[in-house]
Amino acid sequence: MNKKYEIKLPKLVYVQVAISILFIPLLLLIMRKDDLLSVIFSILLLLAILIQIVVLLKRILGLRKNNELEFAENKIKINHTEIPVQKIEKIIIEGYFVQSIAIKLYGSKLVSIDLHFRFKNNEEIHIEELKQWAKMNRIKVTSGKIFRWI
């Protein structure tokens, strides 16, 4: 069962970039205080937010080139990265009207941004095919909140 699908980033990625950008002026206001500890904390937080924005923008711009998901018999391939079935703990589906999918690997508490996606077209049909593939490979499919790293 080799099938290829077009995928895209979840909307949450765009929201996360926007919210991070909105936090920058707030941090700049905090840095104006005379307290040295709050200034150092604000600078560290600002650097973390800037790193987060850069990583997310790199992912947003990079996905336009690589936006493919492929099911194979004993592996799944996302944007040229192969993941064997043995490494997949479960597949999480979040949302009702707009559904995003995450592939959680064994040994990790958070889902990598590379393994969090949405189908581009015919979402309902493709999600059903994903569930069938997971059932054939004995992978648990759950619905719930996706906790993601960056």
Side-chain angles (χ1 to χ4, degrees):
M1 175 180 179
N2 282 6
K3 285 197 163 195
K4 291 185 179 183
Y5 303 93
E6 286 187 62
I7 58 173
K8 58 186 177 180
L9 286 175
K11 290 183 179 182
L12 182 64
V13 173
Y14 301 103
V15 171
Q16 194 173 359
V17 169
I19 290 173
S20 297
I21 290 171
L22 292 175
F23 267 112
I24 292 175
L26 179 66
L27 286 174
L28 292 175
L29 286 174
I30 293 172
M31 284 189 344
R32 299 178 100 192
K33 292 185 177 180
D34 295 330
D35 184 20
L36 181 63
L37 186 62
S38 66
V39 170
I40 292 172
F41 177 73
S42 298
I43 289 172
L44 291 175
L45 198 55
L46 181 65
L47 287 174
I49 289 174
L50 290 175
I51 290 170
Q52 177 188 23
I53 291 171
V54 168
V55 168
L56 290 174
L57 286 177
K58 182 180 172 188
R59 177 75 174 133
I60 289 169
L61 298 174
L63 189 65
R64 294 201 168 115
K65 299 175 203 166
N66 302 322
N67 56 356
E68 192 173 83
L69 171 73
E70 182 180 353
F71 300 143
E73 231 175 274
N74 57 358
K75 65 184 174 191
I76 192 165
K77 190 174 179 182
I78 300 177
N79 297 330
H80 309 293
T81 303
E82 290 185 6
I83 304 162
V85 172
Q86 297 81 11
K87 288 188 175 184
I88 300 173
E89 180 181 343
K90 64 181 172 179
I91 295 174
I92 306 167
I93 300 173
E94 180 181 55
Y96 185 73
F97 294 113
V98 179
Q99 296 178 327
S100 64
I101 295 110
I103 299 174
K104 186 172 180 305
L105 303 178
Y106 280 108
S108 64
K109 294 184 182 197
L110 302 173
V111 175
S112 168
I113 190 171
D114 297 329
L115 303 178
H116 188 199
F117 61 91
R118 287 181 28 214
F119 286 107
K120 198 166 190 175
N121 301 316
N122 301 323
E123 291 180 20
E124 295 170 5
I125 295 168
H126 297 324
I127 287 175
E128 284 305 315
E129 291 174 356
L130 173 67
K131 287 178 181 178
Q132 290 174 359
W133 176 85
K135 187 176 182 180
M136 285 177 16
N137 290 290
R138 295 182 197 95
I139 298 173
K140 183 179 174 183
V141 177
T142 63
S143 59
K145 182 79 175 133
I146 296 171
F147 296 101
R148 190 186 62 174
W149 176 247
I150 299 186

